[in-house]
Amino acid sequence: MQDKEYLMIPGPTPVPPAVYAAMSRPVGGHRTDEFARLYMRIVEKLKKVFQTENDVFVLTNSGTGALETAVANTVSPGDKALALITGNFGERFAAIARAYGAELIELNFGYGNDVDLKAVEEKLNEHPDIKVVLATQNETSTGVCNDIAGIGALVARTPALLLVDGVSGVGAIEIKVDEWGVDILCTASQKAFMLPPGLAMVSVSEKAWQVVNGNRSPRFYFSLPACKKVYGKWNTPYTPSVTLFYGLEAALDMMLAEGLDNVYARHALLARATRAAVRALGLKLLAEDRCASNALTAVWGPEGVAADELRKIIKKQYGVAFAGGQGDVKGKIFRIAHMGFSDKMDVIIAISALEMALAQTGYPVQLGAGVKAAQEVFLGREQK
Ligand SMILES: *Cc1c(COP(=O)(O)O)cnc(C)c1O
């Protein structure tokens, strides 16, 4: 059927009707008291999600723009940057630092693995002059969640700043910016925040400001000092995406009304059900349970069936969109997102479509086995 689509890719994610409704109002001016009050309210609400007292800015650019903002404002040419890489997005963060002239120290843990804290500690000891540490909270290319609290505790003992890519994690998986010592947290609108693409949110710590203000890299659109200059007046240096700001407040109101603990518990439940279903179908998960993401699940394509072929059937015949692999695992895995505006029946739809497509490719699937496993998780009857 035309127009009936189930969007289960890790961004953009489905947008709730209340958010679309908020964005349907006529656009207003951004140099107005009304906009200033809106921005102020949004920042108050974002601080709850980020668990921070730090400055929080809403930027009109995608998530990568937030990562570039973090780097452009803290890395000067020749500075040592320690990149903790667990997949495609860790590689991107490192590439941005390289573009700004950083002397990169890369710790690559490989696709499917999480950051090993021991290795981080060793590198920090070996190079006491590391200026920034780049980490990914939720590695979207592999469905691995990293221990930001653990990394933060190590970095806090050094002069280095901790820059965290939380683009697909924040809003789905708890983050405690202040307690964990995250100096710059970057996230974006189109993942767990349930909005269309176009906004990024970043927080900046006191420790970071000391570096930001004196940084020598060129910056203009991505200048944090430019944002800070008008922050007290709840203004933005350039024209913000006013419409997305309307939507952002509506999305934050939804998250806070549900309760952040409930939001995180819902994501954990959806991840558990998805993983149980995948296992019941005899397929292999990319991430171990220990470090598995609550925002999305990455699955190896079954033996003898191309993952992208399977995805094509699922999309074309059932209208369900999964994401493919990136980087090292391109063509080998598929990824099911269960983040943001996502609930139990979305998982059931995803697994049910997967079962039918598997059957169509000749894979020996027991129809209903995956769905049943997910249902049992939802009914609290899963076998431990
Ligand atoms: C989506 C994503 C990005 C990139 O965000 P864009 O909005 O596409 O620029 C960066 N990091 C992670 C972890 C992501 O999931």
Side-chain angles (χ1 to χ4, degrees):
M1 185 194 175
Q2 211 184 334
D3 290 348
K4 185 77 191 173
E5 201 196 21
Y6 306 89
L7 190 62
M8 294 183 184
I9 61 171
T13 63
V15 176
V19 174
Y20 277 131
M23 292 190 300
S24 71
R25 62 175 280 201
V27 65
H30 59 295
R31 306 288 184 222
T32 60
D33 289 343
E34 196 203 348
F35 181 82
R37 283 194 295 272
L38 171 68
Y39 192 9
M40 188 177 76
R41 290 195 304 273
I42 285 174
V43 167
E44 276 169 15
K45 291 166 188 177
L46 277 173
K47 283 181 172 181
K48 292 182 184 159
V49 179
F50 282 30
Q51 301 194 41
T52 189
E53 296 300 322
N54 291 342
D55 297 333
V56 178
F57 303 96
V58 182
L59 313 173
T60 296
N61 49 244
S62 85
T64 306
L67 302 182
E68 180 153 353
T69 297
V71 169
N73 286 279
T74 58
V75 175
S76 295
D79 284 349
K80 276 189 187 169
L82 173 60
L84 309 178
I85 300 171
T86 52
N88 188 60
F89 290 103
E91 286 167 2
R92 182 179 300 180
F93 215 173
I96 296 170
R98 193 178 300 116
Y100 276 85
E103 187 187 315
L104 265 189
I105 304 164
E106 297 186 38
L107 271 177
N108 198 327
F109 301 94
Y111 279 63
N113 301 317
D114 62 340
V115 169
D116 173 13
L117 296 180
K118 270 238 139 40
V120 178
E121 188 170 21
E122 276 168 25
K123 279 290 176 216
L124 287 171
N125 288 338
E126 197 182 317
H127 302 272
D129 54 342
I130 285 172
K131 183 131 172 256
V132 296
V133 176
L134 313 176
T136 314
Q137 179 201 15
N138 184 68
E139 177 49 73
T140 320
S141 65
T142 61
V144 161
C145 188
N146 286 308
D147 179 3
I148 298 300
I151 297 167
L154 295 172
V155 177
R157 301 204 297 250
T158 75
L161 299 177
L162 175 58
L163 316 184
V164 173
D165 174 351
V167 173
S168 66
V170 181
I173 301 162
E174 184 168 46
I175 190 143
K176 300 182 179 184
V177 165
D178 292 356
E179 199 180 312
W180 296 351
V182 177
D183 293 298
I184 300 187
L185 176 64
C186 306
T187 189
S189 55
Q190 81 276 23
K191 311 250 168 128
F193 278 94
M194 310 183 284
L195 286 163
L199 290 183
M201 294 76 97
V202 301
S203 68
V204 183
S205 73
E206 258 324 304
K207 185 177 170 185
W209 279 120
Q210 311 290 326
V211 175
V212 169
N213 289 326
N215 204 51
R216 289 178 289 108
S217 282
R219 50 190 164 170
F220 192 91
Y221 190 71
F222 294 130
S223 165
L224 281 172
C227 295
K228 176 74 173 176
K229 214 170 136 194
V230 291
Y231 186 66
K233 297 197 277 280
W234 299 105
N235 214 324
T236 57
Y238 322 108
T239 312
S241 177
V242 176
T243 299
L244 285 171
F245 275 62
Y246 300 153
L248 177 55
E249 185 172 47
L252 285 164
D253 284 343
M254 276 181 71
M255 291 164 75
L256 295 171
E258 183 177 353
L260 290 172
D261 287 344
N262 297 328
V263 169
Y264 302 137
R266 170 167 51 83
H267 284 87
L269 179 70
L270 301 183
R272 241 181 25 248
T274 305
R275 293 173 70 79
V278 166
R279 281 203 177 96
L281 293 172
L283 299 181
K284 282 211 273 314
L285 295 156
L286 183 57
E288 285 174 42
D289 285 340
R290 187 179 50 77
C291 58
S293 165
N294 286 342
L296 80 154
T297 298
V299 185
W300 290 106
E303 205 69 47
V305 181
D308 287 341
E309 233 5 83
L310 192 64
R311 243 168 16 91
K312 248 185 233 153
I313 297 172
I314 293 169
K315 176 71 188 12
K316 209 159 164 214
Q317 300 192 18
Y318 306 110
V320 179
F322 292 167
Q326 298 172 305
D328 289 1
V329 289
K330 195 171 170 57
K332 297 179 183 157
I333 63 163
F334 60 91
R335 295 174 295 148
I336 307 171
H338 31 75
M339 68 173 84
F341 192 51
S342 180
D343 211 341
K344 299 181 192 75
M345 290 317 288
D346 295 299
V347 171
I348 297 295
I349 287 170
I351 299 302
S352 171
L354 172 60
E355 288 180 353
M356 288 191 280
L358 284 169
Q360 285 167 285
T361 61
Y363 177 86
V365 61
Q366 193 192 334
L367 288 175
V371 168
K372 179 168 184 275
Q375 288 170 324
E376 279 172 345
V377 171
F378 293 146
L379 293 171
R381 294 186 197 159
E382 63 199 299
Q383 284 150 14
K384 287 275 151 66

